[in-house]
Amino acid sequence: MNHQPTPQTGKEKNPNLKKISGIKMESIGVLMTCPMHKYLEQQLETHFNLFKLWHCNSSITEFLKTHQGNTIRAVVGDTNIGADAELIASFPNLEIVASYSVGLDKIDLRKCEEKGIRVANTPDVLTDDVADLAIGLILGVLRRICASDEYVRIGKWKDADFGLATKFSGKSVGIVGLGRIGTAIAKRAEAFGCSISYFSRSQKPFANYKFYSNIIDLATSCQILIVACALTEETRHIINREVIDALGPKGILINIGRGAHVDETELVSALLEGRLGGAGLDVYENEPEVPEELLGLGNVVLQPHVGSDTVETSDAMADLVISNLKAHFSNKPLLTPVI
Amino acid sequence: MAESTDCHKAQQDCPKVLILKPIPFINLVGEQYFASNKFTFLEAYDSSLPLHQFLSTHSPSIKAILSSVGAPPITADILHLLPEVGLVVTTSVGLNQVDLLECRRRGIKVANAGSIFSDDVADFAVGLLIDVLRKVSASDGYVRKGLWATKGDYPLGSKLGGKRIGIVGLGNIGFAVAKRLEAFRCSISYNSRKRKPHVSYPFYESVCELAANCDVLVICCELTDQTHHMINKEVLSALGKEGVIVNIGRGAIIHEKEMVQCLVQGEIAGAGLDVFENEPDVPLELFAMDNVVLSPHVAVFTPESFLDLRDLVVGNLEAFFSNKPLLSKFGDW
């Protein structure tokens, strides 16, 4: 999702307040919604007047008991806690929401647009890592790498043969959402000789892959289905029982999007009943809760939402958040604006 | 009616193909898929006779040997007991378990697994590398133990993109690994016995120099006298504290004791290992490490590779017994 930046509307803010000569940036109140990354926290503390919502039990109500709501001019949120209508309403001087994520599903974009609040995210810097993990999940599931590591560690190698896995090279890959991340996944899968097809809101003119306007047709045609789209009202539970059945008992589902993309109950029963061959999941409907039934399965790989969790990318995302905030409060264009 | 060429129906016995130890691959595919009208298998391990006696007894009918990884090596001693053998077929690409000099001296043909495994092995190498850098197996275990909810986020991994990959041995497998990792925005360089013409990747004369200029070493070469323990403390120190090693070649290419010490002392950052010096024994120190990913020598274990191997093994044997050219001949004799 990539909105074009719109001019500020609604409540007129006094532009003089933003000039560096008037107010020092270190006094600008920034609310961080939850612990995300120590380096980001340190940078925010250095450059701004940082408030940490988790010191008030992550409750806005509690925060407002001891802090003035109009102190906060910026919010830094992430995939756990963003900026919903309640938060936005609580901070009348809120000017910008800088998300430590590329996904915007935790931000009430309509409210932000209505109130003239800028929104920035962290696209591009995390594309490689998320795409790498998608391939890592495919190999983990198909080649049973995680299972084989466990097998060796518990001493089973001496007793029995591990058995066969499934080849990855040359398999058919279907991508739901051919954005930055979907395209990066496609490029990598191509290096393994995979055929690529995709489902998207609209056909991409630059993409040399087969387009399906119907996700069931995509699932029927491919063996590995990868969810890489943004979470919106339209894409919630886009992977439902029908899609899972179309993917079939030899099919693998990989989710590096959002947990809510997949009807988790249907996914679990399909795996337990053998109607789906396997799954590689980085996201879940109710993180950090993971359906208990999955914990004992050998044909799934479970990751704790680590798509962009490398030292390099976490730092790069943090730098981008800081740069967007500094740009805004210096009256300069945002580097990665959404609104 | 045409004369039958089925040796099972002929007056003479079928030529025998000797197997010294059960071959997991045959069991996994199914013995029935190796049936041929040109030969029959002779399993030495089924007999109560000591091996030398067994071989002497059956030597007149043993015309070929099917050798596999982990089975007794095909030494000059064994070959001396088998004067009728004209072919050794291996189920592996590597031939370190066969006395090639003796085969050449005797004019015994050799056929290996050619390049049929390259894709699967390269895929596995990439999978091991992503797992080590991104802690996939370790964090999968973390989730399964319920720790994500109780202990919070797992420690950060390391980005694959931009890493400098050093391929040790740029054969079919090494090349397949390189092509894949290029798509992840890695840069590739290599060390091989000789520089490869028409290859644009930077070449390093010594494996130590390669290690000093890379973040990751992927071992894709054969095990020979020259490569035995080639990856030692010196090479690993050159690779450095942030360095990662992946081995899908043979365990003995790495000096295992020294590698374990380097891992214990944090001299390198991690390892992805499919092979070990003394399989199925794995150094116990590795079991406690979450920066190491271990697999039981399964880089070729997919049904696709096994069916391709079945076709190749049976194809080579049938070609030999029909006086036709071998499908995957090794060597120039």
Side-chain angles (χ1 to χ4, degrees), chain A residues 148-291:
Chain A
S148 74
D149 177 75
E150 157 99 3
Y151 189 84
V152 174
R153 281 172 199 269
I154 62 180
K156 275 193 176 160
W157 191 4
K158 298 189 198 226
D159 303 327
D161 291 326
F162 181 64
L164 295 174
T166 305
K167 186 170 184 161
F168 172 35
S169 272
K171 290 289 177 354
S172 52
V173 168
I175 301 179
V176 181
L178 201 68
R180 285 171 289 241
I181 293 172
T183 302
I185 293 172
K187 290 253 167 297
R188 284 151 177 73
E190 276 186 303
F192 291 80
C194 294
S195 62
I196 313 287
S197 46
Y198 70 102
F199 164 79
S200 218
R201 273 170 303 191
S202 58
Q203 187 158 5
K204 309 278 174 181
F206 58 81
N208 205 11
Y209 310 127
K210 185 166 169 63
F211 170 70
Y212 286 94
S213 54
N214 177 320
I215 194 174
I216 302 289
D217 292 342
L218 179 71
T220 309
S221 75
C222 69
Q223 195 175 344
I224 303 165
L225 187 66
I226 307 173
V227 182
C229 56
L231 180 64
T232 64
E233 276 152 30
E234 292 84 37
T235 62
R236 191 178 180 280
H237 281 196
I238 193 173
I239 308 298
N240 55 19
R241 187 183 174 112
E242 222 190 325
V243 173
I244 291 170
D245 283 343
L247 189 49
K250 291 215 163 94
I252 306 288
L253 177 71
I254 302 293
N255 192 3
I256 46 82
R258 287 289 178 265
H261 278 128
V262 176
D263 184 332
E264 207 160 80
T265 315
E266 288 294 347
L267 173 66
V268 171
S269 65
L271 285 164
L272 291 175
E273 291 164 27
R275 286 183 288 112
L276 181 65
L281 308 170
D282 188 39
V283 287
Y284 311 84
E285 288 216 65
N286 192 23
E287 295 170 20
E289 304 295 330
V290 174

Side-chain angles (χ1 to χ4, degrees), chain A residues 35-37 80 125 128-133 135-137 139 143 145-153 155 157-158 161-169 171 184 187-188 191-192 282 284 287-290 294-298 300-314, chain B residues 24 28 116 119-124 126-128 130-131 134-137 139-144 146 148-149 153-161 163 179-180 183-185 274 276 279-282 286-290 292-306 308:
Chain A
M36 291 164 209
H37 184 33
N80 282 323
V125 293
D128 284 344
D129 268 353
V130 179
D132 292 352
L133 186 69
I135 304 294
L137 284 169
L139 286 164
R143 298 303 303 271
I145 297 178
C146 305
S148 74
D149 177 75
E150 157 99 3
Y151 189 84
V152 174
R153 281 172 199 269
W157 191 4
K158 298 189 198 226
D161 291 326
F162 181 64
L164 295 174
T166 305
K167 186 170 184 161
F168 172 35
S169 272
K171 290 289 177 354
K187 290 253 167 297
R188 284 151 177 73
F192 291 80
D282 188 39
Y284 311 84
E287 295 170 20
E289 304 295 330
V290 174
L294 298 181
L295 303 182
L297 294 182
V300 303
V301 175
L302 308 168
Q303 298 286 272
H305 203 152
V306 290
S308 58
D309 280 12
T310 64
V311 171
E312 296 89 336
T313 295
S314 298
Chain B
L28 283 165
I116 59 171
D119 283 346
D120 268 337
V121 179
D123 291 358
F124 204 77
V126 174
L128 282 176
I130 297 178
D131 195 323
R134 299 297 301 272
K135 305 179 189 291
V136 177
S137 286
S139 58
D140 173 85
Y142 186 77
V143 171
R144 285 177 200 265
W148 188 19
D153 287 340
Y154 199 72
L156 297 175
S158 177
K159 183 173 174 154
L160 172 57
K163 290 273 191 294
K179 280 272 153 272
R180 281 153 176 73
F184 292 78
R185 299 192 201 272
D274 186 47
F276 305 85
E279 297 169 15
D281 290 328
V282 173
L286 300 180
F287 291 167
M289 297 178 188
D290 67 355
V292 167
V293 181
L294 310 168
S295 54
H297 202 156
V298 287
V300 307
F301 274 53
T302 66
E304 293 89 342
S305 265
F306 275 17
D308 287 346

Side-chain angles (χ1 to χ4, degrees), chain A residues 33-214:
Chain A
T33 61
C34 52
M36 291 164 209
H37 184 33
K38 265 276 167 265
Y39 167 70
L40 174 59
E41 217 174 292
Q42 286 156 5
Q43 289 293 299
L44 288 169
E45 266 166 343
T46 305
H47 292 103
F48 303 100
N49 183 16
L50 180 65
F51 297 90
K52 302 176 192 179
L53 188 61
W54 62 99
H55 285 182
C56 301
N57 285 326
S58 307
S59 154
I60 305 274
T61 319
E62 218 171 294
F63 179 82
L64 291 172
K65 286 180 185 162
T66 44
H67 301 85
Q68 292 290 329
N70 56 13
T71 332
I72 302 299
R73 292 173 63 190
V75 163
V76 174
D78 75 347
T79 58
N80 282 323
I81 305 179
D84 59 10
E86 183 206 353
L87 181 148
I88 292 167
S90 306
F91 302 123
N93 284 345
L94 182 59
E95 297 169 32
I96 177 169
V97 174
S99 193
Y100 180 72
S101 72
V102 65
L104 299 160
D105 44 287
K106 287 286 166 76
I107 300 175
D108 191 329
L109 294 168
R110 215 170 293 151
K111 260 280 172 310
C112 288
E113 196 144 21
E114 205 184 281
K115 289 184 173 288
I117 296 170
R118 307 300 309 276
V119 176
N121 62 350
T122 60
D124 297 318
V125 293
L126 49 64
T127 302
D128 284 344
D129 268 353
V130 179
D132 292 352
L133 186 69
I135 304 294
L137 284 169
I138 294 172
L139 286 164
V141 176
L142 285 182
R143 298 303 303 271
R144 301 173 62 206
I145 297 178
C146 305
S148 74
D149 177 75
E150 157 99 3
Y151 189 84
V152 174
R153 281 172 199 269
I154 62 180
K156 275 193 176 160
W157 191 4
K158 298 189 198 226
D159 303 327
D161 291 326
F162 181 64
L164 295 174
T166 305
K167 186 170 184 161
F168 172 35
S169 272
K171 290 289 177 354
S172 52
V173 168
I175 301 179
V176 181
L178 201 68
R180 285 171 289 241
I181 293 172
T183 302
I185 293 172
K187 290 253 167 297
R188 284 151 177 73
E190 276 186 303
F192 291 80
C194 294
S195 62
I196 313 287
S197 46
Y198 70 102
F199 164 79
S200 218
R201 273 170 303 191
S202 58
Q203 187 158 5
K204 309 278 174 181
F206 58 81
N208 205 11
Y209 310 127
K210 185 166 169 63
F211 170 70
Y212 286 94
S213 54
N214 177 320

